[in-house]
Amino acid sequence: MITGERMGAVDENAAALGVARKQLMESSGNAIARVVREVADPGSRILIVAGRGNNGGDAFVAARFLDDYDTTTLLLGREDAIGTGIARENWEVLGEAGYDRREVTDSRALELPDADVVVDAMLGTGISGELREPAATAAREINAADATVVSVDVPSGFDADEGESADNGVEADHVVTFHEEKPGLAELSAELTVADIGIPAAAERVLGPGDLALARPDTREGRAFVIGGGPYTGAPALAAQAALRSGVELAFVAAPDIVAGEIQGYAEDLIVQPYDGDRLTPDRAEELVETAEGYDDVIVLGPGLGNAEETLEGARVFLESYTGPMVVDADALSIVPDVETEATLLCTPNRAELAEMGGPEVTDLREATDEIEAFADDLGHTVLAKGVDDVVSDGERTRVARVGVPGMAVGGTGDLLAGISAALLEHAEPFEAGAAAAYVNGRAGEVVASEQGDESGLGIYASDLLEEIPRVIRGEAGRVSGDD
């Protein structure tokens, strides 16, 4: 089962892995034609009613596989408004090859020719809500026709995320859906065919640009509040700067006053809020909770805090009291398994911290994905385990990050990951935010290594990645690496 939103991400990942969208469209069109041939005898009248997106493009391909039928293809709208290049190419092929194709530029004049089978290819998985013109009129005509209706991917007007149908949507007799079943399709009265169109398993399992698309910020929004520092100063500064580069409006760092000035010195863009003392304490944690709750901050708890007993008790107090979204990193991770919290947590342990929390003790995280998934399920929080291959799991879903370079083992890249995760938590749930953050962090490292002319990235410093983070988030940093 896969939602329409997730299907879009998988399509994008497949393209990044080298499986061209045009190739997938060819497979989809062939699958549609197979179902039409199952429900109609050769010579039957086939009417394709197509929209201007890739759903229509799939049906344009199908027309080429139906030469034994009397096939007419109607495009709802003008051909110069077809929305994607590959759909337009396949529309043009129909014209060049002499197929019967027609534009419908005015829905008020729409009158469907008689047909034995109508292929509904108006709207796909990316559309929800009541149908608007010209699709509304076309759906009404399709439903009134004395014909078998075959819908492409989902019936037009069907919400592939919520599994609900619009009141004025198409009533299909058959649905040809692609790759995996979409929620709610099985409850329809239509006969369902799930067609394998050649999307590799890695497009679902291995993180790619599609995963970033699920959490990418549309606008600069929110505040990141990093609680860290004491024995260390660079870690909270890196986390806060990464959050800024990833889309938050403001990045705050709460730190002991003995190190606050040093943290401020790393970047003038940071807002450093010093407090008395040389480390986090339980009393101070209670005050920080009040501040954070008042501004609906996304918290990053842990970078540079140290593991003094009083500090860990302060972290415990914060975790027990805060109710918003939070990234837990570094020394603060050790107390998570023993704390009950209403906060929404994304935990970012390295291999050693994962084992300390009670997770698997392994060298290769990728070989322990099932164990990490079971651990996340028991923990009740999303886990983003950092290693050569990062693994993110919420106990039900698990993804592997194959991006990054060996040089990213340098100190500080994990702090960047925590900051990126916090920024993306403004826009997505922990699993999607963690998956996207792992991709962004790894791709930024790859870009820096490439620019330095060393694929291993052994000359990388964590701060080098800061400039590349916004480029990766905007989708300007090229293709995903890795395959499987």
Side-chain angles (χ1 to χ4, degrees):
M1 188 79 69
I2 189 169
T3 65
E5 183 180 52
R6 178 63 190 161
M7 189 66 219
V10 169
D11 278 342
E12 189 169 351
N13 287 351
L17 289 166
V19 182
R21 291 178 186 269
K22 188 173 183 178
Q23 180 179 339
L24 295 179
M25 184 171 285
E26 196 74 12
S27 297
S28 299
N30 202 343
I32 297 164
R34 285 198 303 270
V35 171
V36 171
R37 289 195 293 267
E38 289 173 4
V39 301
D41 295 327
S44 298
R45 297 164 298 177
I46 311 298
L47 175 64
I48 295 172
V49 184
R52 294 168 295 172
N54 282 342
N55 196 253
D58 295 335
F60 301 155
V61 172
R64 292 191 279 105
F65 289 95
L66 296 172
D67 281 344
D68 290 340
Y69 298 82
D70 179 8
T71 303
T72 298
T73 301
L74 299 185
L75 171 66
L76 297 184
R78 298 184 182 279
E79 63 178 272
D80 57 9
I82 293 175
T84 70
I86 53 174
R88 186 177 300 108
E89 286 179 21
N90 280 298
W91 170 257
E92 291 170 351
V93 166
L94 295 184
E96 292 293 331
Y99 287 89
D100 182 6
R101 60 168 205 174
R102 310 173 192 175
E103 295 172 277
V104 179
T105 57
D106 186 351
S107 62
R108 293 170 298 181
L110 176 64
E111 185 174 337
L112 300 185
D114 289 338
D116 299 299
V117 175
V118 176
V119 176
D120 157 37
M122 294 188 293
L123 302 172
T125 57
I127 306 297
S128 61
E130 295 297 300
L131 296 183
R132 295 179 293 179
E133 297 297 351
T137 294
R140 186 167 60 250
E141 293 289 321
I142 290 171
N143 291 340
D146 184 17
T148 300
V149 178
V150 177
S151 286
V152 175
D153 212 3
V154 297
S156 294
F158 184 86
D159 187 330
D161 292 320
E162 300 298 328
E164 299 174 350
S165 297
D167 290 338
N168 64 344
V170 169
E171 299 166 5
D173 299 300
H174 297 262
V175 176
V176 187
T177 199
F178 307 125
H179 185 58
E180 288 186 24
E181 184 178 329
K182 312 306 185 296
L185 286 182
E187 279 69 56
L188 299 179
S189 58
E191 184 174 332
L192 178 63
T193 298
V194 180
D196 184 348
I197 58 173
I199 293 176
E204 286 202 56
R205 187 72 165 177
V206 178
L207 295 177
D211 297 279
L212 171 57
L214 295 178
R216 178 183 284 117
D218 294 322
T219 58
R220 186 174 285 276
E221 184 178 351
R223 300 163 36 125
F225 191 19
V226 179
I227 300 173
Y232 310 102
T233 59
L238 285 169
Q241 289 179 84
L244 272 177
R245 300 300 178 98
S246 302
V248 297
E249 295 174 302
L250 299 169
F252 295 79
V253 180
D257 56 10
I258 63 168
V259 296
E262 187 174 348
I263 293 172
Q264 182 69 78
Y266 288 114
E268 60 271 24
D269 303 296
L270 304 182
I271 303 171
V272 180
Q273 297 182 333
Y275 56 79
D276 294 339
D278 58 2
R279 63 171 61 94
L280 180 68
T281 65
D283 289 343
R284 189 59 60 191
E286 292 178 357
E287 296 174 6
L288 293 175
V289 168
E290 280 188 43
T291 300
E293 293 275 12
Y295 289 98
D296 294 324
D297 291 326
V298 177
I299 303 301
V300 182
L301 178 66
L305 277 181
N307 59 3
E309 184 175 340
E310 189 177 31
T311 296
L312 294 182
E313 186 57 32
R316 180 187 302 276
V317 168
F318 195 96
L319 276 164
E320 289 175 341
S321 304
Y322 191 62
T323 59
M326 187 188 317
V327 178
V328 185
D329 190 40
D331 292 309
L333 288 161
S334 63
I335 62 174
V336 170
D338 302 320
V339 172
E340 290 189 12
T341 180
E342 295 181 24
T344 302
L345 302 189
L346 171 56
C347 300
T348 56
N350 60 30
R351 291 184 295 108
E353 291 161 345
L354 179 67
E356 186 180 1
M357 293 176 72
E361 186 173 353
V362 293
T363 301
D364 186 345
L365 294 175
R366 192 178 179 210
E367 294 182 353
T369 53
D370 289 345
E371 295 170 76
I372 293 170
E373 184 172 289
F375 172 67
D377 186 38
D378 290 341
L379 188 66
H381 304 296
T382 300
V383 173
L384 170 49
K386 301 175 291 193
V388 175
D389 296 325
D390 297 342
V391 175
V392 59
S393 180
D394 63 359
E396 295 182 356
R397 300 167 292 176
T398 300
R399 307 277 185 266
V400 177
R402 296 292 307 277
V403 287
V405 293
M408 290 181 67
V410 69
T413 55
D415 302 306
L416 298 179
L417 180 59
I420 297 167
S421 298
L424 298 182
L425 270 175
E426 283 282 355
H427 307 272
E429 295 301 311
F431 179 78
E432 287 79 11
Y439 175 76
V440 170
N441 199 40
R443 280 295 295 129
E446 290 180 344
V447 173
V448 171
S450 176
E451 291 177 347
Q452 292 182 352
D454 179 4
E455 291 185 2
S456 68
L458 295 181
I460 283 177
Y461 292 100
S463 57
D464 295 335
L465 276 61
L466 286 169
E467 292 293 331
E468 302 303 332
I469 289 170
R471 288 186 58 212
V472 175
I473 288 178
R474 292 194 301 265
E476 299 172 358
R479 290 178 54 181
V480 65
S481 70
D483 54 47
D484 202 350

